[in-house]
Amino acid sequence: MAERSLTLMAVHAHPDDEATSTGGILARYAAEGITTVLVTCTDGRCGDGPGGVKPGDPGHDPAAVVAMRTAELEVSCAALKVTHLETLGYADSGMMGWPNNDQPGSFWTTPVDEAADRLADLIRQYRPDVVVTYDENGFYGHPDHIQAHRITMAAVAKTDIPAKVYWTTVPRTMFAEFGRIMQELGVEWADPDAADEPGPQLGLPDDEINTWVDTSKYGPQKFDALAAHASQTENIFFLQLGRERFTELMGVETFVRVQDTTGAPLPEDDLFAGLR
Ligand SMILES: [Zn+2]
């Protein structure tokens, strides 16, 4: 019987999140012959619309936004050579406090157990060795990112299949570096995606990050994936760096390993350490 290929599953909230925080690992592990599965939980309807129309502004048509972002997601997956794309199709809940949070069908109002059951079915189907999602604050407090975290951890517990689970993170020293570079480029550096309410501090001190994966070779693919989502204002910020600078700056993706059955020693530089 042919040996089953190792499998990576990344669970993300919106079309474009796959590129920003895991574009490097998706491209790298696909290139290493690992099966990659991207699960995108929402349809991204609260994003910018065609022509840059902002959500809430006249002319912002959620159906048009969904169609555009679905097409962009497919281009991004092609750039990253994602093996399987699965979309759960929940309605984007918008930023914390937006009326969309409570709209019927929004990801945020969906019971965790219900969405986790759907994800658990995908985990049983693909049997990922490694699962990646966000931390309990969804990295920056977006309701859909928090919900993606919750359903992933619930689905992992229901299936007990993945050997390793990681949460994406960013070293705080990196934010300082971004600020410096953006100033140099004359770009105002304020996270346009951040919630209005002050939340927990973003990212982690370097010494709390236990997994650093070199993805520099795949920077151009990550850049192309992000460029596929150029309709979203927050991505334009990164694209302004240009491919070369972007690759230089985004050459390492960082994670916190939160579950492990392999006993691979920490710190790690490979999500599949202990599995091959
Ligand atoms: Zn997102």
Side-chain angles (χ1 to χ4, degrees):
M1 211 170 80
E3 210 182 311
R4 201 184 60 87
S5 107
L6 288 168
T7 300
L8 167 68
M9 178 182 279
V11 184
H12 282 294
H14 306 104
D16 81 359
D17 292 319
E18 79 290 348
T20 339
S21 57
T22 57
I25 56 159
L26 286 168
R28 173 180 159 169
Y29 289 118
E32 292 180 6
I34 288 170
T35 300
T36 57
V37 183
L38 168 63
V39 181
T40 301
C41 297
T42 78
D43 58 12
R45 71 177 59 202
C46 294
D48 299 342
V53 185
K54 295 283 171 197
D57 284 354
H60 186 273
D61 171 12
V65 181
V66 170
M68 176 182 74
R69 300 196 73 185
T70 304
E72 292 175 343
L73 181 59
E74 282 162 10
V75 175
S76 167
C77 284
L80 299 172
K81 299 196 160 46
V82 167
T83 323
H84 303 280
L85 166 64
E86 296 283 354
T87 53
L88 298 185
Y90 293 107
D92 186 340
S93 316
M95 294 293 179
M96 196 60 94
W98 286 14
N100 309 67
N101 291 179
D102 304 318
Q103 253 153 40
S106 83
F107 191 33
W108 187 236
T109 55
T110 303
V112 169
D113 203 50
E114 188 184 306
D117 274 338
R118 291 184 59 200
L119 183 58
D121 283 344
L122 292 173
I123 291 178
R124 289 186 196 101
Q125 179 185 338
Y126 291 109
R127 306 195 67 80
D129 305 278
V130 173
V131 168
V132 177
T133 190
Y134 316 108
D135 61 28
E136 60 270 72
N137 184 43
F139 182 63
Y140 72 103
H142 191 298
D144 291 326
H145 287 238
I146 294 172
Q147 188 77 330
H149 162 86
R150 290 178 180 165
I151 74 157
T152 305
M153 298 316 287
V156 165
K158 279 173 193 282
T159 58
D160 211 19
I161 289 172
K164 302 172 93 178
V165 177
Y166 294 87
W167 296 344
T168 56
T169 191
V170 174
R172 292 214 179 116
T173 49
M174 185 94 159
F175 286 111
E177 175 75 357
F178 278 150
R180 200 187 56 70
I181 289 169
M182 286 301 124
Q183 208 171 21
E184 195 186 300
L185 295 175
V187 180
E188 196 123 346
W189 165 231
D191 187 352
D193 226 9
D196 293 337
E197 301 289 312
Q201 218 185 334
L202 293 184
L204 287 173
D206 291 20
D207 61 3
E208 288 177 32
I209 297 174
N210 59 26
T211 307
W212 305 68
V213 183
D214 181 358
T215 58
S216 46
K217 222 175 125 185
Y218 306 94
Q221 272 174 268
K222 180 168 175 166
F223 186 84
D224 290 347
L226 203 61
H229 297 290
S231 65
Q232 305 305 301
T233 313
E234 66 266 31
N235 298 331
I236 294 169
F237 157 72
F238 289 108
L239 296 171
Q240 286 177 95
L241 291 168
R243 185 187 297 253
E244 207 169 306
R245 199 76 197 269
F246 176 86
T247 300
E248 229 171 70
L249 193 66
M250 309 285 277
V252 177
E253 288 181 349
T254 47
F255 305 88
V256 179
R257 189 177 87 185
V258 292
Q259 285 188 26
D260 173 65
T261 59
T262 69
L266 290 172
E268 290 185 322
D269 59 7
D270 176 14
L271 303 186
F272 287 85
L275 289 163
R276 56 178 177 177

